[in-house]
Amino acid sequence: MKKKVIQTLILLVTTLSLVQAQDIEGVVNYERKTYWTKLIAKLPFLSQEEKDRAKMMWGNDDEEKTKLKLVFTPAQSVYTYESEQGETDDGRWSWRQDDYLVQRDFDKEIITEWHEMGGKTYLIQDSLKIPKWKILNQLKDVAGHVCMKAEMEDPANQQKIVAWFADDLPVSAGPERLFGLPGIILELDYNDGVTVVTATKIDLKKVEPKQLVLPKMKGKKINLAERDRIIKEHIKDSIKAQRNPYWGIKPWN
Amino acid sequence: MRYLLLSTFLLLLAFCAHAQTRVVVKGRMVDTTNAALPFTTVMLLTPKDSALVSYARADEKGAFEFKNVKRGTYLLKTSYTGYLPFQKEFTPGEAAVTDLGELTMKPISKELFEVVVKTAKAPLNIRGDTIEYNASSFKVPPGSTVEDLLRRLPGFQIEQDGSIRAQGQEVKRVTVDGKNFFGGDPKTATKNLGAETIDKIQVYNSKSEQSKATGIDDGKKEKTVNLALKEEYKRGGFGKIKAGVGTDERIDVRGNYNKFDDKQQFAVVGFGNNINQSGMSWDDRQDFYGSSAYRWDETDFGFGGGLTGSDGGGDGVIIQGGNVIIMNGGGGDRGFNNSYAGGLNYNYETKKKKFSSNYYYNQRRNWIDQVSKRQSILADNEFETNTTSNEYTKNDNHRVQLRYEDNLDSLNTLILIANGTINNQTYTQGKQEENLRSGGRLTSQTTQDNRNTSQTINFSGSALYRHKFKQKGRSFAASATFNLNNGDADGLQKSDNEFFVPAETGALPPRQLNLLTDNTNRQNQIRTSLFYVQPVTKRIAWESFYNFGVRQDKVDRNVYDQQEGNRRNDTLSRYYTNQVMHNRLGTGFRYNYKGLNIGAGLAGIQMNISGRFATDQNASQFMNVDRSYTVVVPGVNMNIDLKNNRYLYMDYSGSVQQPSVRDLQPIIDYSNPLYITQGNPDLKPTVSHNAYAGFQYFNPSSFTRFFGNINYSYNVNQVVYSQTIDSLLITRTKPINLTGGQNYGTYLNVGFPLKKNKANIGLNTSINFGRSYTLINEIQNRTNSNRYNWGLNLDLTPSENFTFYGNANWSYNLVKYSINTGQNQNIWNSSYSGQMNVKGPWSMYFNATFNYNIYKNDRFGLDQNIPILNMAVYKLLGKSKKSEIRLSAYDVFRRNLGINQGASGNFFTQTQVQTITRYFMLSYTYNMRGIKANLRNNGGF
């Protein structure tokens, strides 16, 4: 009996959210955490001893947190920082955020990405290209939604990206540079947990046009192929020079 | 828009293919009771790699349809909240429409869904009939076994006898990482393994043992539980050991062992050598301390100085023949050393609590044979002091450090720190010194024999509390520190003094001295500090601090004259107690916005120094020193985070330093008859003003860097030692305050690749102008020291088998004395160094470092060239390269002379210490984690 009630409840909740699914829109807040010692453990030029040393010293204290937000409508999505500056928990110190914005126009099938990488700001404009996703057999709860696992190989950054998407929120939008799944992406995992982007709050409501207004973005204009080439080259050079490539180019660039 | 995308995609495909190759795929999603599952997500994947080809959503009746599907085999996968994902492989038939019919989805068991997915937020893996979830998501108390963990997991039952049932069936086998655990009895694994070692628990149906043995599937399935271990429990501890023997009885043995996981870290370290390496290497140090290697707790909040821990006013410091020997340090790695050390470290860390502890013992015996030449400049002439000395020091040092941090809750943090050291020292010194007038006329000569044994015990304890208020940015911190320092020293000072010219004034100092000194000092210090931040606006915060400190010293120094039947020498003996009290109050504002951080404030410092002293604690009359000072100093700093890795920063602050207690006592100390010291009760505290500004830039893609700064410092009431040198060349010094000493300079560094990843070049230059004052025979001397420095480095990394790192440095120092311009000096120092690494065949490597130093001083006719070449050839052994055998040669040319030269105040010194020269060593290293031959200098990570 109890089982039936719960099932009905689940059904009801899902149906309710699906009723609105036709033109679902809103804001999702994400927290991006990067674990530097996990990243160090991936560097091919370091010995096991050096990796263990880094993990021992910083393993419990290597989390770097940033808050970002995704504003989406059926027609477009904009993903950028929640606030224009980064600051320590006590607020005594602040820093400038890297230039970073990802906009997708689903109607016109155009992407605009504004990235600071390798000490330079780029403005990437190209047509929308859906990542090659694989769907896997795992379920997980993220921010109250049961999500399914999908995976892709990032050819430029040479990293595995895992996405958890909620098919009860049927929009193909997502945080960072990723999208194109049957539901909204609520969690991303780069390179086996080096960087994890998780939804902290989902607010489904009508998006005001001003929430989608883009800031003034200046930078060198390139397309996606050029971006891939810059990243590949930088990673290759850095690894060869035995230098951590991620000081210049981040997993999410 | 999703449909739009999809249809565009499919439409595009349709254009390139014939209509016949396309089919329509449809079906209907239902649950186990045949009820429709509306709006189910339906995906078409390629079966070989699960790549997403297309997706659609069922309608309210659960029906779905894919149009224009290219022929081929697909995996249909559906997803519906609360249900197990459904999958079915199919190949469309000849017909234009493939109807898959009713597809039934099974609900996820309520337990799994509610407990695993919703409550523990653990990922649920579905692999055919295996359901797996992350055990680490389930909270069990520390020390729990796997059995305790299984009790918490949905679908598991633990019977009275410890047998396990999973999803109703008895578990026949428990494997660990896929392997049987101790003979396969499920209970041994679950009762003995700790829950914290488990990463994942997998439950699946495996073929029965019988069918595995016979190879015939009897259709029976056994419930098997596999426990996947956490990564860190797969590895045990690790360590390395190195042992080397060389010519000249050179020995170098060192080893360490580590074991760590997410919470605990344990390390042992030990070494012994006679190759002048008395400390741990930087890497070994990090391996030993682990997470506490870089922990630093600020307990004195604010700025402005004045709250120094100790000022050398008798604590752990002995005056010997005019040299100040600091008991815990000193000596460096000069001369010859025998060093032994060993330690243990244990850290425990969770997000909430952090504990670290260590014990470290080290012993060092140091022998120094030194020849030094000192040129002292007087107003109208100069004199030279030639010293030959041999010293032996033995230090035994025990140290314990404890630290505990508790994040009581999200707003409150408490940190407790306790450190203790015990140091035993034995020191002997034999010294011959002669003073010569210009022209080489011998004026005086002294032979000294000093011996000293001492023990110092130090304890310090601190408590630090930080509180964050609910209002963002509002915070409070308080700290209290207690410091105890006890020293006991016994010394013997013998000297034989000869003067070859008649005394002009005063009495001739004693020809012979034979003194026995017994010195006891007790010091305790209490410091407290408060800090408060109140946000004013979103970008501006108001910060205030208050510090209070009180330090008490008690020194009892008894000097006995052995020549006069151990009679107490009342001039040199003394007893004193004193108290130093500090109050510091400061306030300021901090502005921060988008990488622009500015702070500005003022600190007021009030100090009171009061002391009583006499020749003896029973003396009827004590002299008193009582001084109070109030100083106000500013502090300003600014940091700008410009775009693209460019940073600009500026800082200006004033700081106050109290005069040392020893300098304040009007006591004449002639225990070294050629260097008589006297205190000055009228000393004022020194205020120094420091300013610097810098800019840095780094381009992470082109690897170009630039760094530049300028700095300035100015001293008010600096404590300098005035000198009066009489005709016998006896120096009498007294501390006085002099204003005007200053220093300013600039530093620039630029580096860029000549050819990316093959050749890098770096250039640096610094210019420094220093001005210092002294009082010599009542005449004020100004010494200007202008130093110019240029450096060049070249890194060549042409291949994986060869690297070269070259360095060149040139410095020119022009020293000018206002009282005697004839003594002005030009000092040139140049150094060239190169490091070469070559990889040979059969895991053989070669490494050579060469240092070539040139010292020139026109005034003394010094022109010395010192080439030092070190070489090593080594081979990594075995497949896993865990051991290494190495033959090294140190100072191949036998030219290590231990030369040091420098000018300051009104003198120039040059010392030469006998030290380790050429030796060859054969060593063997074993590292459990493998050895990596590093040809390239690491670019940092």
Side-chain angles (χ1 to χ4, degrees):
Chain A
M1 175 60 204
K2 206 171 161 194
K3 190 176 168 185
K4 198 82 196 165
V5 171
I6 285 167
Q7 273 180 23
T8 323
L9 215 81
I10 291 167
L11 207 83
L12 205 72
V13 170
T14 339
T15 321
L16 274 176
S17 62
L18 282 167
V19 167
Q20 311 159 336
Q22 290 315 319
D23 31 46
I24 184 167
E25 56 183 78
V27 179
V28 182
N29 295 82
Y30 292 89
E31 188 164 60
R32 179 163 71 198
K33 290 182 184 170
T34 301
Y35 303 90
W36 286 102
T37 60
K38 283 189 185 168
L39 205 155
I40 284 165
K42 302 275 176 195
L43 298 177
F45 53 84
L46 295 178
S47 69
Q48 190 57 44
E49 190 177 354
E50 289 166 312
K51 291 172 184 176
D52 283 345
R53 185 174 294 140
K55 184 169 175 5
M56 220 164 80
M57 285 194 299
W58 310 114
N60 285 325
D61 193 25
D62 67 336
E63 195 179 277
E64 191 190 298
K65 277 193 275 187
T66 316
K67 285 184 173 151
L68 298 109
K69 67 168 191 277
L70 174 75
V71 182
F72 66 94
T73 66
Q76 59 171 310
S77 76
V78 175
Y79 179 74
T80 190
Y81 296 106
E82 218 171 80
S83 95
E84 46 195 357
Q85 66 167 353
E87 57 180 16
T88 49
D89 282 346
D90 62 6
R92 289 191 73 206
W93 192 259
S94 77
W95 56 88
R96 194 187 64 84
Q97 307 268 28
D98 280 0
D99 294 333
Y100 185 72
L101 186 140
V102 179
Q103 191 240 8
R104 284 187 209 98
D105 190 321
F106 298 109
D107 285 348
K108 292 184 195 146
E109 295 183 26
I110 291 172
I111 59 130
T112 305
E113 295 184 16
W114 191 43
H115 290 223
E116 189 171 326
M117 49 188 199
K120 207 167 171 176
T121 301
Y122 295 93
L123 192 62
I124 305 161
Q125 271 176 326
D126 211 322
S127 57
L128 208 54
K129 286 187 186 89
I130 301 173
K132 287 185 182 132
W133 290 108
K134 286 180 186 178
I135 309 294
L136 301 173
N137 270 325
Q138 271 190 47
L139 299 178
K140 186 167 97 160
D141 181 284
V142 183
H145 293 261
V146 177
C147 294
M148 208 170 201
K149 188 178 180 179
E151 201 180 283
M152 69 160 289
E153 202 62 44
D154 177 356
N157 254 320
Q158 289 152 14
Q159 59 185 349
K160 190 176 86 185
I161 300 174
V162 170
W164 295 87
F165 64 95
D167 55 28
D168 57 349
L169 298 176
V171 262
S172 73
E176 316 265 295
R177 309 186 57 252
L178 298 148
F179 71 108
L181 285 163
I184 193 164
I185 298 171
L186 293 182
E187 185 166 303
L188 278 176
D189 177 318
Y190 295 94
N191 218 343
D192 296 321
V194 167
T195 298
V196 180
V197 184
T198 312
T200 51
K201 206 176 105 194
I202 301 163
D203 196 3
L204 301 176
K205 59 169 186 207
K206 188 121 187 68
V207 169
E208 303 290 323
K210 67 166 195 251
Q211 286 177 278
L212 291 164
V213 170
L214 299 179
K216 226 179 191 169
M217 297 185 289
K218 273 190 274 181
K220 194 186 171 190
K221 285 200 171 87
I222 55 169
N223 61 28
L224 282 175
E226 282 164 322
R227 167 207 169 259
D228 288 1
R229 193 185 46 75
I230 291 167
I231 288 179
K232 261 189 186 165
E233 214 160 88
H234 173 82
I235 290 177
K236 203 180 102 211
D237 282 347
S238 303
I239 297 289
K240 209 171 166 220
Q242 306 205 347
R243 194 190 285 270
N244 188 341
Y246 299 101
W247 290 119
I249 284 178
K250 305 287 193 276
W252 51 85
N253 275 139
Chain B
M1 97 285 136
R2 189 182 66 254
Y3 301 102
L4 186 90
L5 249 166
L6 201 68
S7 47
T8 320
F9 173 68
L10 292 173
L11 211 69
L12 208 74
L13 281 175
F15 271 116
C16 338
H18 293 290
Q20 281 86 351
T21 62
R22 302 284 154 173
V23 292
V24 174
V25 175
K26 61 181 198 176
R28 203 170 80 85
M29 303 311 301
V30 292
D31 70 2
T32 43
T33 61
N34 248 7
L37 293 173
F39 308 115
T40 304
T41 305
V42 187
M43 292 167 273
L44 278 186
L45 316 178
T46 54
K48 73 172 190 330
D49 59 359
S50 301
L52 180 65
V53 178
S54 180
Y55 60 83
R57 193 158 292 262
D59 61 17
E60 60 277 0
K61 291 188 182 104
F64 65 88
E65 191 175 276
F66 287 96
K67 284 173 182 154
N68 277 314
V69 177
K70 203 177 158 189
R71 277 181 198 281
T73 306
Y74 291 96
L75 188 68
L76 180 99
K77 182 176 246 174
T78 69
S79 163
Y80 192 87
T81 307
Y83 286 75
L84 278 173
F86 170 88
Q87 28 183 54
K88 183 190 168 84
E89 200 175 309
F90 73 96
T91 312
E94 290 300 309
V97 176
T98 298
D99 191 347
L100 297 170
E102 285 194 346
L103 304 168
T104 313
M105 290 183 82
K106 287 184 202 159
I108 298 175
S109 86
K110 182 200 119 196
E111 272 181 318
L112 276 180
F113 194 75
E114 283 301 302
V115 181
V116 181
V117 180
K118 284 292 174 191
T119 310
K121 306 246 181 250
L124 200 66
N125 287 357
I126 299 117
R127 279 192 198 143
D129 63 352
T130 310
I131 292 182
E132 163 190 291
Y133 39 84
N134 206 326
S136 54
S137 313
F138 291 86
K139 299 275 171 284
V140 282
S144 300
T145 61
V146 172
E147 194 179 283
D148 300 328
L149 176 66
L150 290 180
R151 268 182 226 281
R152 306 242 169 166
L153 302 186
F156 278 93
Q157 274 171 284
I158 310 292
E159 304 293 335
Q160 281 292 321
D161 64 349
S163 61
I164 309 154
R165 295 181 85 81
Q167 286 134 27
Q169 264 181 285
E170 190 183 347
V171 172
K172 294 273 194 218
R173 284 195 321 139
V174 173
T175 55
V176 176
D177 275 337
K179 293 178 199 118
N180 280 343
F181 187 85
F182 298 144
D185 179 2
K187 285 173 274 184
T188 32
T190 52
K191 279 191 184 296
N192 290 310
L193 272 178
E196 72 277 4
T197 60
I198 307 298
D199 181 30
K200 277 183 194 142
I201 293 185
Q202 296 156 318
V203 186
Y204 56 95
N205 300 316
S206 71
K207 289 177 185 171
S208 68
E209 283 301 311
Q210 197 183 332
S211 68
K212 270 188 190 166
T214 58
I216 303 159
D217 192 349
D218 56 8
K220 284 187 196 159
K221 296 276 167 104
E222 285 182 348
K223 271 274 179 238
T224 299
V225 169
N226 180 48
L227 307 171
L229 292 183
K230 275 185 195 163
E231 203 50 43
E232 61 262 27
Y233 286 96
K234 290 182 181 171
R235 268 184 289 146
F238 44 79
K240 60 179 173 185
I241 188 154
K242 179 189 175 183
V245 283
T247 55
D248 292 344
E249 298 178 332
R250 297 276 155 234
I251 285 176
D252 179 20
V253 180
R254 55 188 65 231
N256 62 17
Y257 182 80
N258 282 64
K259 198 170 162 68
F260 77 98
D261 59 43
D262 284 348
K263 289 199 182 91
Q264 301 188 78
Q265 303 184 340
F266 172 76
V268 200
V269 73
F271 67 81
N273 69 66
N274 56 6
I275 55 165
N276 282 7
Q277 288 180 7
S278 57
M280 283 188 269
S281 74
W282 196 245
D283 285 345
D284 288 345
R285 197 187 162 279
Q286 295 178 333
D287 284 344
F288 180 64
Y289 293 107
S291 62
S292 59
Y294 295 100
R295 197 159 277 142
W296 165 250
D297 299 299
E298 179 66 57
T299 51
D300 292 325
F301 312 121
F303 60 88
L307 270 166
T308 47
S310 62
D311 65 1
D315 50 315
V317 172
I318 314 162
I319 313 144
Q320 268 160 346
N323 298 322
V324 175
I325 312 281
I326 298 153
M327 283 168 144
N328 272 325
D333 277 334
R334 303 191 311 147
F336 296 92
N337 290 279
N338 280 6
S339 314
Y340 306 94
L344 288 167
N345 185 73
Y346 174 76
N347 298 335
Y348 176 83
E349 268 194 47
T350 61
K351 284 257 180 274
K352 215 171 139 23
K353 290 181 166 67
K354 292 181 172 69
F355 172 74
S356 55
S357 59
N358 64 68
Y359 165 75
Y360 192 73
Y361 167 75
N362 70 316
Q363 187 202 75
R364 193 175 71 185
R365 284 177 292 160
N366 170 252
W367 291 266
I368 289 180
D369 278 313
Q370 181 174 287
V371 179
S372 73
K373 188 184 264 200
R374 176 177 155 132
Q375 189 85 13
S376 304
I377 318 294
L378 305 179
D380 45 0
N381 57 3
E382 73 280 340
F383 71 95
E384 197 174 291
T385 309
N386 292 323
T387 311
T388 312
S389 69
N390 51 72
E391 292 168 29
Y392 165 72
T393 317
K394 183 185 166 194
N395 270 300
D396 259 307
N397 197 49
H398 299 265
R399 192 189 64 211
V400 174
Q401 295 180 314
L402 298 169
R403 182 185 183 276
Y404 174 70
E405 177 180 330
D406 197 335
N407 293 295
L408 303 163
D409 52 49
S410 60
L411 300 176
N412 297 294
T413 306
L414 178 71
I415 299 170
L416 301 171
I417 305 159
N419 293 325
T421 57
I422 299 175
N423 184 69
N424 294 304
Q425 193 192 61
T426 313
Y427 174 79
T428 61
Q429 183 197 45
K431 184 166 138 182
Q432 273 114 41
E433 197 171 279
E434 53 180 30
N435 284 306
L436 300 119
R437 281 274 180 211
S438 49
R441 191 156 54 91
L442 185 66
T443 309
S444 68
Q445 192 172 291
T446 173
T447 308
Q448 296 181 10
D449 182 6
N450 300 317
R451 280 155 207 281
N452 202 295
T453 56
S454 62
Q455 183 177 60
T456 323
I457 298 172
N458 180 282
F459 169 80
S460 76
S462 301
L464 178 63
Y465 168 73
R466 285 196 288 258
H467 175 76
K468 280 189 257 179
F469 291 90
K470 289 246 159 62
Q471 184 190 355
K472 197 190 166 196
R474 189 169 165 205
S475 70
F476 169 76
S479 81
T481 301
F482 173 69
N483 207 322
L484 193 73
N485 210 325
N486 285 354
D488 289 289
D490 290 310
L492 197 65
Q493 285 164 301
K494 274 191 207 172
S495 62
D496 189 348
N497 314 295
E498 250 186 296
F499 297 90
F500 301 99
V501 288
E504 278 168 2
T505 50
L508 211 63
R511 171 74 208 254
Q512 276 179 328
L513 267 181
N514 190 346
L515 303 172
L516 197 67
T517 310
D518 168 22
N519 199 75
T520 318
N521 66 64
R522 301 278 176 269
Q523 183 192 79
N524 62 66
Q525 186 182 45
I526 294 167
R527 303 202 304 272
T528 59
S529 196
L530 302 172
F531 186 65
Y532 177 71
V533 185
Q534 172 68 49
V536 181
T537 69
K538 232 179 157 183
R539 297 177 190 177
I540 297 170
W542 173 54
E543 302 185 348
S544 300
F545 56 88
Y546 172 68
N547 299 268
F548 171 76
V550 59
R551 202 188 84 191
Q552 284 165 329
D553 293 270
K554 191 166 86 179
V555 173
D556 188 4
R557 179 179 163 95
N558 294 303
V559 181
Y560 303 96
D561 204 326
Q562 292 206 309
Q563 291 189 123
E564 296 179 36
N566 279 348
R567 196 170 60 83
R568 194 168 188 276
N569 182 323
D570 284 343
T571 320
L572 295 173
S573 297
R574 65 186 123 144
Y575 173 83
Y576 70 82
T577 58
N578 70 278
Q579 179 171 295
V580 182
M581 213 151 58
H582 291 273
N583 278 291
R584 186 173 75 179
L585 184 67
T587 189
F589 288 93
R590 179 173 290 279
Y591 170 88
N592 70 71
Y593 180 63
K594 267 179 151 180
L596 170 62
N597 293 273
I598 303 170
L602 280 177
I605 296 136
Q606 193 206 45
M607 281 194 261
N608 175 271
I609 302 172
S610 62
R612 279 155 43 82
F613 54 92
T615 58
D616 171 5
Q617 64 236 69
N618 303 317
S620 54
Q621 216 183 350
F622 273 81
M623 282 180 79
N624 290 307
V625 176
D626 197 347
R627 295 274 172 272
S628 288
Y629 317 97
T630 305
V631 187
V632 175
V633 292
V636 182
N637 63 65
M638 178 164 90
N639 279 272
I640 310 171
D641 177 350
L642 296 159
K643 243 180 134 166
N644 297 328
N645 299 306
R646 290 173 302 152
Y647 301 90
L648 188 67
Y649 45 90
M650 281 163 234
D651 188 282
Y652 161 71
S653 68
S655 79
V656 182
Q657 203 187 348
Q658 76 212 24
S660 81
V661 173
R662 194 181 59 240
D663 284 345
L664 285 169
Q665 297 166 62
I667 291 174
I668 296 168
D669 182 346
Y670 62 83
S671 51
N672 178 355
L674 295 183
Y675 201 88
I676 298 165
T677 62
Q678 186 183 359
N680 178 2
D682 297 323
L683 283 181
K684 290 194 264 297
T686 304
V687 180
S688 52
H689 298 268
N690 295 295
Y692 73 84
F695 172 78
Q696 73 181 64
Y697 166 71
F698 174 66
N699 184 327
S701 59
S702 71
F703 301 161
T704 300
R705 67 189 147 79
F706 174 81
F707 177 75
N709 73 24
I710 48 170
N711 55 73
Y712 176 74
S713 70
Y714 184 80
N715 292 313
V716 178
N717 288 326
Q718 187 181 6
V719 175
V720 297
Y721 297 88
S722 77
Q723 298 174 31
T724 316
I725 293 125
D726 65 14
S727 60
L728 298 177
L729 298 181
I730 293 169
T731 305
R732 287 181 173 78
T733 76
K734 185 182 172 183
I736 52 163
N737 288 118
L738 267 179
T739 296
Q742 66 169 22
N743 205 57
Y744 57 96
T746 176
Y747 174 79
L748 292 173
N749 182 327
V750 59
F752 53 89
L754 291 172
K755 190 167 191 306
K756 207 166 192 176
N757 267 329
K758 302 272 186 222
N760 281 304
I761 194 164
L763 302 157
N764 68 72
T765 178
S766 68
I767 303 168
N768 202 68
F769 301 105
R771 185 173 75 191
S772 60
Y773 291 94
T774 43
L775 208 58
I776 296 158
N777 289 342
E778 308 296 319
I779 301 166
Q780 185 167 302
N781 170 52
R782 189 186 69 232
T783 307
N784 281 319
S785 170
N786 297 348
R787 188 191 295 274
Y788 306 85
N789 198 82
W790 303 269
L792 172 74
N793 71 291
L794 182 69
D795 302 350
L796 297 176
T797 49
S799 83
E800 294 303 309
N801 302 325
F802 177 85
T803 57
F804 173 82
Y805 296 90
N807 241 308
N809 257 295
W810 300 273
S811 87
Y812 168 62
N813 191 1
L814 173 66
V815 185
K816 284 183 184 165
Y817 302 98
S818 67
I819 54 166
N820 192 339
T821 51
Q823 291 300 322
N824 292 352
Q825 298 172 21
N826 293 294
I827 303 170
W828 286 91
N829 288 343
S830 332
S831 81
Y832 303 90
S833 68
Q835 186 200 343
M836 184 175 76
N837 300 293
V838 183
K839 184 184 178 195
W842 311 297
S843 298
M844 295 269 285
Y845 295 87
F846 174 74
N847 161 278
T849 56
F850 180 63
N851 285 293
Y852 190 70
N853 289 303
I854 302 165
Y855 302 102
K856 273 188 190 163
N857 184 326
D858 60 347
R859 179 66 192 79
F860 293 94
L862 179 81
D863 190 352
Q864 208 136 27
N865 301 347
I866 301 172
I868 293 181
L869 175 67
N870 302 330
M871 292 196 292
V873 56
Y874 57 103
K875 181 175 163 61
L876 302 186
L877 305 172
K879 221 176 198 166
S880 49
K881 297 190 173 158
K882 284 186 176 171
S883 50
E884 174 203 278
I885 192 144
R886 179 186 290 253
L887 179 68
S888 35
Y890 177 77
D891 187 18
V892 174
F893 304 132
R894 240 182 202 288
R895 293 291 295 275
N896 195 6
L897 293 173
I899 285 188
N900 221 323
Q901 62 176 347
S904 78
N906 68 318
F907 58 85
F908 170 84
T909 48
Q910 190 203 330
T911 60
Q912 195 170 337
V913 180
Q914 271 193 37
T915 186
I916 294 181
T917 58
R918 182 170 64 202
Y919 68 88
F920 298 92
M921 183 172 268
L922 186 67
S923 58
Y924 173 77
T925 307
Y926 178 77
N927 186 336
M928 288 165 75
R929 283 176 293 185
I931 297 169
K932 209 179 118 222
N934 239 342
L935 262 62
R936 270 173 186 266
N937 291 352
N938 209 312
F941 48 86

